[in-house]
Amino acid sequence: MQPISHKSSRWFTIGMASIFLFSVILRFWQLGRFNTLVFDEVYYAKFANNYLTQTEFFNAHPPLSQYIIAISIWIGYHLPFWQEIVNNETGSTLASWSYRWVNALTGSFIPLVVGAIAYQLTKRWSYGLIAALLIALDGLFLVESRYALNNIYLVIFGLLAHLYLIIALQDSQFKQRKWLALSGIFFGASAAIKWNGLGFLLGIYLLWILAWIIEFFASKKRSGYISPWQNLTRLNLIQLTLNLFVIPIITYSLLWIPHIILNPKYGFLEMQQQIFSYHQRIGSGVDTHPYCAQWFTWPLMMRPVVYFYKNTGLLDKPEPSLPPLPSDIGDPKVNPLIFDVHAMGNPILWWLSTWGILLLILMLFNRVWHWEKNRQARHKKIKPKQIVKFPPASEIWLLVYLVINWLSNFLPWSRVSRCTFLYHYMGALVFAILGFSWWVDRWLNSRQIRLKIIGVTVIFIILLAFVFWMPVYLGLPLSPQSWQLRMWFRSWI
C-alpha cells in the first residue's frame, strides 16, 4: 500500500479536524444542563472531590479517573466564569460543568485516536476518516463523555497504548524504545482506570504469540507490504517483558500512591484484595440493578442504561436539576416533557458493526481452512484446487488484529458473575466499529457502482440514526409520544 499523497493528506487533515470540531461541539454543548450528579457521578465526582478536600473513602476501582476528575474540578472551580448555577452534591459547592469538562475534552479526542490507528495500520486515509467518523456518530461514547464517569479514560488510554505500539513496530530501533515505553505506560494507565482495561493488553499478548506461531510455520522470506503486527516477532522476550509487562505494572502501582497516602487503612496489595472481594460480592440480575445486561446481549444492544430520567408531568414542584422549560409548552403537568439521558449506542451502527466483525471472523476461518488445504496439497506435490485471494494478504493481519482485540475485550466478560452493564462493551466496540469501517472503506473504493452506493447509503443511515436518537443522548426535552417513538424495544426502557 502506498502512503497518501500531499493532496490527500491535506483533505485527511481537514476531515479529521472537522470530525474533532463536531465531537467537541456535541460534548460541550450545555454541559452543565443537569445541575446534579448523573448516574455514577455520585461515586466518581464525589471521590474526586474527596481527594481535594482530603476526605478518606473507599474506592471499588483503581483511582486514576478520579485524579483526572479532581484536576477538572480544581481548574473549573478557579475559573472566573460559569459559576452562577452550582450544587453541593459532591460535598463542595461546585458548578456541574466543572467536574465534567475534562471528560468532554478527552472524549472528543477518541475519534482522532481511532482514525490514527486505522491509518497507521493501512496507510489508507479513507479508512482512517471512516473509522473516526463512525466512532464520532456513536451515542454511548457521546453520553459517557458528557458526565464525570470513567469509561472514556479506560478506552482512550488503551487505544493510545495500541497506537504507540503500532508506531514502535514501524519505526527505527532508537525511536522504538521510546514508543514501546509510552505504550507500556498507557497500558498501565488503562488498567488504573478499571481492571478490564487489561483487555487491551491481552489482545497484544495473543497477537505476539500468534505472530511467533506464524513465523515458525510460514516462509522466512518477506516481500511487499509488511504489517506492523508481523514485526511483533522483532520483540524478543526481554523487550516484551520490560515494555509490556514491567512498565505497565510499575505505572499501575505508582498511580496508587496518592490514594494510599490519603487512605492508609489498606496498603497496595490489600487494596487489590479489597477491590476483588467487593466485586465478587456484587450480585447479578434485576434484583441487583434494573439495568444489568448479560455480556452476550451487548453486541445487539438489548439493554441500555438510563442515566437520567425526569417526567415533568409527575413532578409536584419545579425540579432544580432541570434546565428551564420551553416557554411555549404551558402547564408542564398538562403538556408533560421527558428529560431522558439514555446510555445507548447508535443502534444502526452497533448492529452493523456486530455483523461486520462476525463476518470478519468467518472470513478468517475460511482463509485458515483453505490455507491448510493448500499446505497439504503442496506437501503431497499436487496443484491446489482453490487459491483464496480475498482479502489481500496485506490486510489479513489487520483483520486478525481487529478480531483478536474484539474477542480479548469481550469474551473475558463471560467469566464474570457480577452485574454488568452495556458500557462494559465499549473497549470491544471500538474494534467492531473498526472492522465495519474496513467493509465501508472497501465499498467506497470499489470499482463497482453498486458497492459505492451501499457504502454511501450505510453512512447516511448511520448519520440519520444518530440525529434521530440525539435527544436521548443529550437529554433534550421530548413529548411522551416522541420519547416512546425512540424506545423501539421494551428492554430499552
Side-chain angles (χ1 to χ4, degrees):
M1 295 184 184
Q2 298 297 321
I4 55 180
S5 66
H6 177 72
K7 183 177 179 180
S8 297
S9 177
R10 182 180 63 190
W11 282 110
F12 177 74
T13 302
I14 292 172
M16 294 295 279
S18 301
I19 292 170
F20 177 69
L21 180 62
F22 170 76
S23 299
V24 168
I25 291 172
L26 284 180
R27 282 156 177 78
F28 277 89
W29 180 81
Q30 292 194 9
L31 191 59
R33 64 188 276 103
F34 297 121
N35 187 34
T36 185
L37 296 179
V38 172
F39 195 61
D40 278 351
E41 285 186 330
V42 298
Y43 302 113
Y44 303 126
K46 282 185 177 180
F47 293 169
N49 190 62
N50 286 346
Y51 288 120
L52 298 176
T53 60
Q54 297 293 290
T55 303
E56 291 188 32
F57 66 99
F58 174 77
N59 192 350
H61 288 294
L64 181 53
S65 64
Q66 288 96 88
Y67 296 163
I68 299 171
I69 297 169
I71 294 171
S72 174
I73 291 173
W74 188 87
I75 295 175
Y77 180 79
H78 287 86
L79 293 178
F81 44 80
W82 297 332
Q83 304 291 348
E84 295 82 10
I85 301 176
V86 296
N87 65 67
N88 299 306
E89 296 190 28
T90 62
S92 299
T93 302
L94 300 171
S96 57
W97 68 269
S98 68
Y99 45 80
R100 295 171 182 163
W101 73 270
V102 171
N103 275 64
L105 182 62
T106 302
S108 301
F109 279 99
I110 286 182
L112 298 190
V113 178
V114 171
I117 289 174
Y119 171 71
Q120 287 293 336
L121 286 170
T122 62
K123 303 304 180 185
R124 293 182 64 87
W125 66 266
S126 55
Y127 181 43
L129 279 175
I130 292 167
L133 175 62
L134 293 187
I135 284 287
L137 294 177
D138 180 67
L140 184 56
F141 276 93
L142 173 59
V143 172
E144 288 282 330
S145 300
R146 287 177 54 85
Y147 299 98
L149 306 172
N150 60 6
N151 297 299
I152 286 297
Y153 301 113
L154 179 147
V155 172
I156 197 167
F157 290 153
L159 292 177
L160 283 171
H162 277 233
L163 177 61
Y164 290 134
L165 180 58
I166 295 166
I167 294 172
L169 295 175
Q170 298 178 121
D171 217 323
S172 65
Q173 287 291 334
F174 175 76
K175 292 184 179 180
Q176 184 189 71
R177 298 188 186 97
K178 174 182 69 175
W179 296 121
L180 280 174
L182 276 174
S183 179
I185 289 170
F186 278 105
F187 277 127
S190 184
I193 300 295
K194 285 183 178 179
W195 285 352
N196 53 293
L198 292 171
F200 290 99
L201 187 53
L202 173 61
I204 299 303
Y205 287 159
L206 295 177
L207 278 170
W208 185 77
I209 294 171
L210 180 63
W212 275 108
I213 293 173
I214 293 177
E215 182 86 1
F216 180 79
F217 286 103
S219 170
K220 301 295 181 182
K221 183 180 178 180
R222 291 181 177 183
S223 59
Y225 174 78
I226 302 299
S227 166
W229 305 117
Q230 290 172 268
N231 289 330
L232 271 172
T233 54
R234 288 168 49 197
L235 292 179
N236 58 44
L237 191 58
I238 294 176
Q239 290 175 309
L240 181 82
T241 302
L242 174 62
N243 293 284
L244 300 182
F245 184 75
V246 175
I247 289 179
I249 289 177
I250 293 174
T251 302
Y252 177 84
S253 303
L254 291 176
L255 287 169
W256 273 95
I257 292 176
H259 178 86
I260 293 174
I261 291 174
L262 178 61
N263 303 276
K265 182 178 179 181
Y266 301 113
F268 173 73
L269 293 179
E270 290 176 303
M271 270 305 307
Q272 313 313 306
Q273 294 171 351
Q274 288 293 323
I275 291 176
F276 183 74
S277 298
Y278 174 86
H279 289 285
Q280 274 193 319
R281 293 193 300 268
I282 297 177
S284 185
V286 294
D287 293 335
T288 300
H289 196 286
Y291 292 103
C292 287
Q294 293 181 290
W295 66 277
F296 54 82
T297 68
W298 300 340
L300 297 179
M301 208 180 72
M302 294 175 63
R303 187 59 170 163
V305 187
V306 176
Y307 279 3
F308 182 88
Y309 181 90
K310 295 289 182 181
N311 186 331
T312 61
L314 303 177
L315 299 177
D316 296 326
K317 57 182 180 180
E319 173 59 53
S321 66
L322 294 178
L325 300 179
S327 57
D328 59 346
I329 68 162
D331 187 350
K333 284 190 170 291
V334 177
N335 299 303
L337 291 176
I338 292 176
F339 291 85
D340 175 23
V341 177
H342 244 66
M344 61 183 287
N346 181 326
I348 306 302
L349 176 60
W350 278 52
W351 297 333
L352 288 175
S353 296
T354 299
W355 168 83
I357 197 71
L358 292 178
L359 201 57
L360 291 186
I361 293 174
L362 291 176
M363 182 186 299
L364 288 175
F365 272 119
N366 183 58
R367 285 296 297 263
V368 170
W369 183 68
H370 280 287
W371 175 81
E372 176 61 20
K373 287 186 64 177
N374 293 341
R375 188 187 69 84
Q376 293 177 3
R378 288 194 300 271
H379 181 71
K380 297 177 181 178
K381 298 182 180 181
I382 60 176
K383 185 177 180 180
K385 294 181 179 180
Q386 183 179 5
I387 299 178
V388 179
K389 295 184 179 181
F390 178 78
S394 60
E395 292 188 274
I396 287 296
W397 269 101
L398 168 66
L399 307 189
V400 169
Y401 165 75
L402 297 179
V403 168
I404 285 182
N405 278 283
W406 180 73
L407 294 173
S408 297
N409 284 276
F410 180 46
L411 286 187
W413 287 102
S414 64
R415 307 301 302 169
V416 176
S417 59
R418 57 150 288 176
C419 175
T420 55
F421 300 93
L422 185 69
Y423 53 72
H424 288 131
Y425 184 61
M426 290 174 66
L429 175 64
V430 172
F431 298 101
I433 291 177
L434 278 166
F436 179 65
S437 300
W438 180 81
W439 285 107
V440 176
D441 181 47
R442 293 198 67 87
W443 295 337
L444 292 178
N445 287 283
S446 172
R447 295 180 180 179
Q448 299 183 40
I449 299 298
R450 173 178 60 87
L451 293 180
K452 288 181 180 289
I453 293 174
I454 290 175
V456 172
T457 302
V458 162
I459 292 177
F460 183 68
I461 292 174
I462 291 172
L463 177 60
L464 285 181
F466 182 74
V467 173
F468 179 72
W469 274 283
M470 191 180 294
V472 296
Y473 302 148
L474 300 179
L476 303 181
L478 291 170
S479 68
Q481 295 78 19
S482 297
W483 177 81
Q484 192 66 50
L485 185 64
R486 288 162 175 81
M487 299 296 109
W488 282 10
F489 305 100
R490 186 175 182 83
S491 63
W492 286 9
I493 297 175

